[in-house]
Amino acid sequence: MNKTVNINLGGEFFHIDEDAFAELKRYLDAVRASLNQDESIEEIISDIESRIAELFVELLPNPKSVVTKSQITQVIDIMGQPEEFDTDEPADQEHQNRKATPKELYRDQDNKYIAGVGSGLGHYLGIDALWVRLIWLLLTIFSSGSFILIYILFWILVPAADSTSQKLKMKGQPINISNIERRFKEGYDNISDSVKSMDYNKYGDQVKKSSHRFFEAIAKALVIMAKIIGKIIGLILVVLSLGTILSMAIGFFSVGTIEFWGQGNLIDYLHAVNGYNAPIWVIFALIFVALGLPFLVLFIVGLKLLLPHLRSIGWTAKVIIFLIWLSALISLVIVGVQSMTRNAITGSFEREIPLQMTKQDTLILAMNKNYVARNDHRRQDDFKIRMLDEGQKSIINQDVRLVVRSTSKTEGFVQINAYADSHSLDDAQAKAQLIDYRISLSDNKLLIDPNWTTPIENKYRNQKIDVIVYLPTGSVFWADQNTHSYHQNAKRYQDILISGNEGHYLKVMDQEALCLDCKNDGLVIKSED
């Protein structure tokens, strides 16, 4: 078992075993020995250490991994041995091409007029910076100045090549000992030459530096404004997304206590219309995930804008969140499609009740004053849920249609047609048969219930009732005013009781009715068109 050592290399902390540490120390001592005549040895060593730290970060599977001797060998192979280079001659071309570094986009600070964007693009594209600047100038002219904004965006978003490693990456040159030393010497020589020629270029340098300071001030101001705007947007996203998530969570856990228009618990209504066999809480959980996860993502984005150094949740977590959201969305689509298909087919159940009346009798028609019905006696197709006397939660609906027709039979009868929707004809007919609906006949008075009921377990499936009263030709009937809303029928129903004839004695004729006590005696009242 090897001991490990904690080291600080290029501003980064690493765990390294003793053998690897000894090998790294030997290598850096050899590099230092090869540069012992160089005046800028400390700066070069610092750049070399920064490059080695970058390679460690690339080679280690995670920040807590221990650097081993094999990884030191890989780093040395990339950087090159000090003895392979002659500090006064160009490096061996074969080693220079080893481990070629892909170009990265930086702003060139050594060859800039404003921010170094054009020169950086020139390095990245492999063309002279002069051509880039000319093209940019032409594009700015022909785009009515739009490329000025694009330049400012490049200025803000593209980092400057400050370190030796960044300058080598900008040019796509291998980041090894030879190139780091050569690049550092070139920069040092450029500074020396500029100092020597300062007297000759004094006024030009002053103008150039002034323009640099002016544009750098503008860039700093734009960066500050962008950061402030980003913070504001981040704060809005955090507050909005967090508030939405909390509201959804509170609503999710309190949905069972919500009253639905004062008619009962909301969860009962959801259970009644639920076309899928999954529990209500499962559907609510799917809705919460499908709607809540996008707001969670907005919350994370807002936090990143507020706290730029906040550690990322990682690609694994991002993929998991996306898959969970996609699964919830697909599940909701499946539930919705299946709910619609469960109401695709309409079935019916028919029963017939004799009236035991002949054409010599007079029938009184009226809606029963049922305690579960509305007081206004109007036909409506909405439903409510109430607890009946026997303690059973039931669906109650006033979708009841009244139709009066003539018959050639000697006795009248009532035909009750119940309808319901479902995914199959058999199931629809079964649900129609489970509708509880009643009428009563006493002393030639027919009382019709204004509503039907069914246990909540049967679900609401667009159930409705048609009550068709067949009266013998020649008989007389009288309809109460409270039947008005229930027999507003079109011609296709062949209803002989039309609107406005309530409260009159009507004699049943062949497919029509004769008003016996209207002002115009003998007027035949026919069905409405």
Side-chain angles (χ1 to χ4, degrees), residues 10 30 50 167 206 232 311 345 348 376 397 416 472 502:
S50 296
K167 293 175 182 178
Q206 286 178 350
I232 294 173
R311 187 173 181 180
I345 299 175
S348 63
D376 53 7
N397 189 285
I416 300 176
E502 302 87 357

Side-chain angles (χ1 to χ4, degrees), residues 387-405:
M387 188 78 72
L388 300 183
D389 291 339
E390 57 269 25
Q392 171 69 49
K393 284 185 179 180
S394 296
I395 299 172
I396 300 172
N397 189 285
Q398 290 184 221
D399 192 358
V400 176
R401 182 185 298 276
L402 172 62
V403 180
V404 181
R405 294 176 182 171

Side-chain angles (χ1 to χ4, degrees), residues 195-369:
V195 171
K196 292 176 183 178
S197 60
M198 183 171 56
D199 293 336
Y200 302 100
N201 301 317
K202 179 178 180 181
Y203 297 105
D205 287 346
Q206 286 178 350
V207 173
K208 191 173 182 179
K209 288 178 181 178
S210 297
S211 65
H212 288 170
R213 285 194 295 268
F214 173 73
F215 286 109
E216 284 177 356
I218 293 177
K220 289 180 180 178
L222 291 173
V223 169
I224 292 173
M225 288 179 61
K227 288 182 178 179
I228 293 174
I229 294 172
K231 299 289 186 185
I232 294 173
I233 294 174
L235 181 62
I236 293 173
L237 289 178
V238 167
V239 173
L240 177 64
S241 56
L242 186 60
T244 303
I245 292 173
L246 290 177
S247 299
M248 291 176 60
I250 294 172
F252 176 74
F253 288 109
S254 62
V255 67
T257 63
I258 299 175
E259 290 291 319
F260 189 64
W261 293 339
Q263 298 294 333
N265 194 293
L266 176 59
I267 203 72
D268 291 334
Y269 284 86
L270 295 174
H271 175 68
V273 299
N274 179 20
Y276 196 65
N277 291 329
I280 293 296
W281 69 267
V282 173
I283 297 177
F284 268 98
L286 291 174
I287 294 173
F288 181 79
V289 172
L291 298 180
L293 284 184
F295 285 99
L296 177 62
V297 173
L298 289 178
F299 177 75
I300 295 173
V301 172
L303 282 182
K304 289 290 289 183
L305 290 174
L306 287 174
L307 306 171
H309 300 292
L310 185 67
R311 187 173 181 180
S312 174
I313 61 175
W315 276 105
T316 302
K318 292 176 182 176
V319 171
I320 291 174
I321 290 174
F322 175 75
L323 292 177
I324 292 174
W325 174 79
L326 187 62
S327 300
L329 191 63
I330 293 173
S331 299
L332 283 176
V333 171
I334 293 173
V335 168
V337 171
Q338 291 200 2
S339 296
M340 288 187 292
T341 58
R342 288 179 181 273
N343 294 329
I345 299 175
T346 301
S348 63
F349 173 72
E350 180 182 311
R351 60 192 174 103
E352 191 173 295
I353 302 172
L355 280 179
Q356 297 179 353
M357 65 168 289
T358 64
K359 60 183 179 179
Q360 287 79 27
D361 297 324
T362 298
L363 181 70
I364 304 299
L365 281 175
M367 307 306 295
N368 189 13
K369 294 183 180 179

